[in-house]
């Protein structure tokens, strides 16, 4: 009985966290839309499109590595610079 109560509570907490995360992403996307429009309008040299393409290639290579069974190291996942990994 106690295990069932813990499972229900854990499920509720996980669902609530997912709901808050999704709501936060929706609000952030709504708030960033005008900024993205201005950035795309000012992107004369095509830097943003090149960066997006590079990031998509990087994500695809990560997905292939996961499918092949290779894992990225724990140090790389916890690095404070992991968000800058797609930059050359």
């Amino acid at each position: 009985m106690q295990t069932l109560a813990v499972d229900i509570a854990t499920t509720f907490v996980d669902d609530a966290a997912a709901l808050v995360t999704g709501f936060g992403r929706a609000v952030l996307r709504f708030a960033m839309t005008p900024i993205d429009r201005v950035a795309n309008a000012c992107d004369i040299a095509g830097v943003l499109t090149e960066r997006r393409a590079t990031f998509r290639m990087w994500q695809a290579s990560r997905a292939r590595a996961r499918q092949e069974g290779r894992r990225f190291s724990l140090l790389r996942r916890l690095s404070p610079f992991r968000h800058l990994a797609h930059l050359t």
Side-chain angles (χ1 to χ4, degrees):
M1 186 69 178
Q2 188 176 21
T3 305
L4 182 61
V6 170
D7 287 342
I8 291 172
T10 304
T11 303
F12 178 75
V13 169
D14 290 342
D15 289 346
L19 181 68
V20 169
T21 302
F23 182 71
R25 285 183 181 168
V27 168
L28 185 64
R29 179 171 285 173
F30 180 73
M32 293 296 291
T33 301
I35 297 169
D36 286 337
R37 279 193 204 132
V38 170
N40 287 331
C42 295
D43 186 26
I44 296 171
V47 174
L48 292 176
T49 55
E50 184 178 333
R51 183 182 294 172
R52 288 181 191 126
T54 303
F55 183 69
R56 286 187 189 119
M57 286 179 12
W58 178 73
Q59 279 184 323
S61 70
R62 280 185 59 192
R64 276 194 304 273
R66 282 187 186 155
Q67 287 176 353
E68 293 173 1
R70 292 183 303 202
R71 299 267 182 203
F72 285 92
S73 69
L74 182 64
L75 182 62
R76 183 175 289 171
R77 278 187 264 155
L78 296 177
S79 171
F81 302 110
R82 69 183 175 275
H83 301 292
L84 304 174
H86 66 280
L87 300 174
T88 58

